[in-house]
Amino acid sequence: MWSEEAVREPQLVERRGGAGIAYADEILGDRDSRGVLWDRATVASGRGKPQFAKIHVHRQRRAMRKLLCQVCGRPAHGDDRGVLWLLRNRTGDWRGWPEGMLVSEPPVCESCLALATRVCPALRDEGHLVAQAASCPVHGVEGFRYRAGAGRPVPVENELVSFIAPAIRWTLASKLVRQLHNCTVLEVREGAAAT
């Protein structure tokens, strides 16, 4: 996000019959084709200062949907081994990682790979892994889940929710999530914190 952009916080209400959450002033563009409710944000790309720790909901969703580079917005690198992903190094999480991993960070293009690893504090501190995934289907969303309350929805927690989970009706989405399959690891680097 840029400093001139902001996430809007309109009033949430419960849908009739306990069918999930909605905006009190909901418009057609607030939901995607699956009926998932999305955060609202102003758009002022390039205005003000970049806020690297904050992700713009609309640009993230577009980049994940179209497999665009998270840095430059052009098509991510892809070849017969799949789409290129730059991930924080979590090789100790499970055997075969990142196979099956759920990701909300968009892929990258080859041109932006070196820049991203150099300027991103998380990638420098924690290390990184570069991999290609032959398959990376859209899985669900990351967002804040709510539950029914006394007249208005009650926030529960931020989590990853599959499109087929009943909780999707109660989730205010902020990021689109894909799952990585048939991964080829190209590079693993330890971070500054590990040395």
Side-chain angles (χ1 to χ4, degrees):
M1 289 188 76
W2 292 80
S3 58
E4 296 295 315
E5 296 175 316
V7 175
R8 296 181 185 157
E9 296 185 20
Q11 180 185 0
L12 284 175
V13 296
E14 291 181 29
R15 295 176 86 179
R16 291 182 192 196
I21 57 173
Y23 289 133
D25 63 345
E26 191 168 315
I27 59 173
L28 186 61
D30 288 330
R31 293 185 184 272
D32 64 19
S33 61
R34 291 181 172 93
V36 177
L37 186 64
W38 284 84
D39 269 339
R40 288 178 176 171
T42 60
V43 178
S45 182
R47 294 197 350 226
K49 295 181 180 179
Q51 308 289 305
F52 295 113
K54 296 180 180 179
I55 306 301
H56 193 277
V57 61
H58 303 302
R59 288 191 292 274
Q60 186 276 351
R61 186 170 144 205
R62 180 177 183 270
M64 287 296 271
R65 215 176 53 243
K66 296 184 174 220
L67 294 172
L68 302 176
C69 176
Q70 63 177 280
V71 179
C72 68
R74 294 188 301 259
H77 174 77
D79 60 24
D80 60 338
R81 291 185 294 187
V83 178
L84 189 64
W85 299 85
L86 174 61
L87 310 166
R88 290 185 208 177
N89 187 350
R90 299 271 197 260
T91 51
D93 282 5
W94 66 82
R95 186 174 179 187
W97 184 92
E99 187 65 34
M101 181 181 177
L102 297 174
V103 295
S104 61
E105 296 86 4
V108 294
C109 67
E110 283 184 311
S111 301
C112 293
L113 192 58
L115 172 67
T117 58
R118 189 174 66 247
V119 301
C120 176
L123 296 174
R124 277 195 322 264
D125 295 345
E126 300 174 32
H128 68 269
L129 177 138
V130 179
Q132 286 184 268
S135 173
C136 51
V138 174
H139 175 81
V141 300
E142 180 179 334
F144 218 91
R145 186 172 54 85
Y146 290 77
R147 66 171 173 78
R152 58 186 319 177
V154 176
V156 178
E157 66 181 317
N158 193 68
E159 61 183 42
L160 298 175
V161 180
S162 166
F163 285 123
I164 61 172
I168 197 74
R169 300 183 329 236
W170 292 91
T171 304
L172 180 58
S174 59
K175 296 177 185 171
L176 190 61
V177 174
R178 287 183 175 267
Q179 188 168 33
L180 306 183
H181 297 286
N182 302 317
C183 297
T184 302
V185 175
L186 305 176
E187 175 185 329
V188 179
R189 291 251 174 110
E190 295 295 325
T195 55

